[in-house]
Amino acid sequence: MSRILIIEDEQSIAELERDYLEISGYEVDIENSGDKGLQVALSTEYDLIILDLMLPKIDGFEICRRIRSEKDIPILMVSAKKEDIDKIRGLGLGADDYMIKPFSPSELVARVKAHLARYERLMGRREARNDEVRIRGLMIDKTARRVFVNEREVVFTTKEFDLLTHLAMNPNRVYSKEQLFDLLWGMDAMGEIATVTVHIRKLREKIEQDPSNPQYIETIWGAGYRFRI
């Protein structure tokens, strides 16, 4: 049974989310304040975290940053704030998804299932031998979900790792932002193109010697991105 933590200060919303998730077979805990939510998230093993943006004590941005620095699990950020800058900031800090309130509980459950299934599948837990991708100074260990750049390990978020792995396994192929969002997030990409842009920028910062002159992930103007070998 997958275990989920909801960090949400509106108790009625948190309980509604919990009820729908428990009906779907998940074990769910709730924390209503940012400081306690962060403490529990870091000290307890969870498979996914649903994180509200506006919280007392510590806001969702800081909580996301702190969790992501220590754990590689899916983080689903929820907020009533619709501005693109908030989405970009949340995704840039390592959130795997961003949902705008109000949303239907059934959509939340669907997204939770999608993220957990994708994470489980990409973890490669059933593989007996490590599956690796090596391109010049870059080594991606798909089984252990570890990345090394010139023999130095670099930490990636769940979606950053998934995106890098997909591009590296399909070199010299151009993908549009819409294609990448649909492939990696598995949902309608309309209005969420900033998600891909943010993740590509993060990848370049972590694997490129000079992110402004990328040698791995190229921008094909008017078309999308290509992983060059």
Side-chain angles (χ1 to χ4, degrees):
M1 179 182 294
S2 294
R3 192 175 184 187
I4 297 171
L5 173 64
I6 298 174
I7 307 177
E8 167 66 66
D9 63 330
E10 296 188 46
Q11 186 67 21
S12 60
I13 293 177
E15 291 177 352
L16 179 63
E17 293 172 350
R18 180 189 60 192
D19 291 346
Y20 272 79
L21 289 166
E22 287 182 342
I23 290 173
S24 299
Y26 299 108
E27 181 181 348
V28 183
D29 294 329
I30 295 174
E31 292 296 338
N32 300 121
S33 67
D35 55 347
K36 186 62 183 300
L38 176 60
Q39 177 187 343
V40 172
L42 295 179
S43 63
T44 310
E45 292 300 317
Y46 289 99
D47 297 290
L48 182 143
I49 294 176
I50 298 172
L51 175 62
D52 186 36
L53 183 56
M54 304 303 294
L55 292 164
K57 306 292 186 180
I58 305 176
D59 67 27
F61 290 129
E62 177 63 15
I63 293 173
C64 182
R65 186 188 68 79
R66 295 277 296 277
I67 294 174
R68 185 55 73 220
S69 69
E70 297 189 28
K71 295 192 175 186
D72 179 20
I73 61 172
I75 298 175
L76 201 166
M77 187 174 283
V78 299
S79 175
K81 303 182 73 173
K82 301 180 181 180
E83 292 79 5
D84 285 342
I85 188 64
D86 294 306
K87 295 182 186 179
I88 293 171
R89 184 181 178 192
L91 295 168
L93 288 170
D96 296 282
D97 203 349
Y98 190 107
M99 294 185 68
I100 298 174
K101 297 178 181 178
F103 50 78
S104 69
S106 57
E107 180 186 359
L108 175 68
V109 172
R111 295 203 187 199
V112 166
K113 288 181 177 179
H115 284 294
L116 287 173
R118 191 168 293 109
Y119 184 76
E120 174 73 19
R121 183 174 67 251
L122 294 172
M123 279 292 288
R125 292 172 180 167
R126 296 182 178 86
E127 297 181 22
R129 299 174 61 185
N130 283 22
D131 187 4
E132 299 177 354
V133 178
R134 294 178 180 269
I135 301 174
R136 300 194 296 280
L138 178 68
M139 193 281 278
I140 304 170
D141 186 334
K142 294 170 57 185
T143 307
R145 293 182 68 83
R146 302 174 72 187
V147 178
F148 295 83
V149 180
N150 296 323
E151 301 184 356
R152 177 179 62 87
E153 184 169 9
V154 180
V155 178
F156 288 79
T157 68
T158 302
K159 276 294 181 290
E160 288 170 359
F161 182 90
D162 296 347
L163 178 57
L164 175 63
T165 301
H166 179 80
L167 290 172
M169 292 182 64
N170 297 275
N172 296 328
R173 176 175 173 178
V174 178
Y175 287 93
S176 68
K177 295 175 184 178
E178 292 83 358
Q179 287 175 319
L180 290 173
F181 189 90
D182 188 55
L183 285 167
L184 273 297
W185 280 261
M187 304 163 203
D188 183 4
M190 185 175 296
E192 302 290 350
I193 299 304
T195 302
V196 176
T197 304
V198 168
H199 280 72
I200 290 291
R201 176 173 58 82
K202 289 290 185 180
L203 290 185
R204 285 173 171 163
E205 290 174 353
K206 293 181 178 183
I207 69 172
E208 301 283 2
Q209 184 174 358
D210 179 5
S212 64
N213 183 30
Q215 301 302 304
Y216 288 109
I217 303 175
E218 298 178 315
T219 297
I220 308 301
W221 297 108
Y225 301 102
R226 175 177 63 193
F227 194 101
R228 182 169 66 87
I229 60 173

